[in-house]
Amino acid sequence: MSEDQGIRYARKAVDASCLLLFRGSSCVCQVKNISASGILIEPIEDESINEIELNSVCILEIVVNDVFNLHVSSKVTRINDREIALHYISIPEEKQVALWQLLGDHVHEVETYGT
């Protein structure tokens, strides 16, 4: 499903941290919510991300708990002074089941917007 169609996967609030890597810089972030297609993060150290723009490709190392972490490539879809929304470019096959389990009932739910 495409965001161009006004549909997106339901988001789930999680208590997790994330390391955002971009052009050799890194920034520690707090995860605000996560879905089957992307993530919303809030930088804790915002001085490291001044060069990030829409469509920038980043690497995320998402740490949810002792048994689940996720290393994904992603693209910036929205950015403001407090939050960055990213769309996953690829999820490693061995992490997909764990992500679906983390999302639980939210994995297949969709939301409509903009209509």
Side-chain angles (χ1 to χ4, degrees):
M1 284 174 223
S2 167
E3 291 203 13
D4 296 336
Q5 297 171 326
I7 297 173
R8 65 179 170 208
Y9 285 99
R11 295 160 289 167
K12 179 179 180 178
V14 295
D15 183 22
S17 60
C18 176
L19 181 64
L20 180 139
L21 304 165
F22 176 73
R23 291 189 184 163
S25 296
S26 64
C27 177
V28 176
C29 302
Q30 182 67 38
V31 176
K32 298 196 76 172
N33 62 55
I34 191 168
S35 76
S37 60
I39 190 168
L40 180 65
I41 59 176
E42 181 177 0
I44 295 171
E45 307 166 347
D46 54 12
E47 71 278 350
S48 301
I49 61 160
N50 293 333
E51 295 181 22
I52 294 178
E53 301 172 340
L54 279 179
N55 298 314
S56 294
V57 175
C58 305
I59 303 295
L60 297 175
E61 188 70 39
I62 305 160
V63 180
V64 178
N65 56 39
D66 292 342
V67 293
F68 180 71
N69 65 24
L70 182 62
H71 180 87
V72 295
S73 296
S74 57
K75 182 168 74 168
V76 175
T77 57
R78 185 171 36 105
I79 189 167
N80 63 35
D81 59 343
R82 293 177 300 164
E83 300 174 332
I84 304 172
L86 300 111
H87 180 79
Y88 308 133
I89 294 171
S90 64
I91 302 170
E93 197 169 315
E94 68 274 9
K95 296 292 187 174
Q96 289 180 11
V97 171
L99 177 60
W100 304 158
Q101 289 172 342
L102 171 68
L103 293 170
D105 293 338
H106 290 77
V107 73
H108 297 295
E109 292 180 20
V110 293
E111 301 170 342
T112 56
Y113 63 97
T115 54

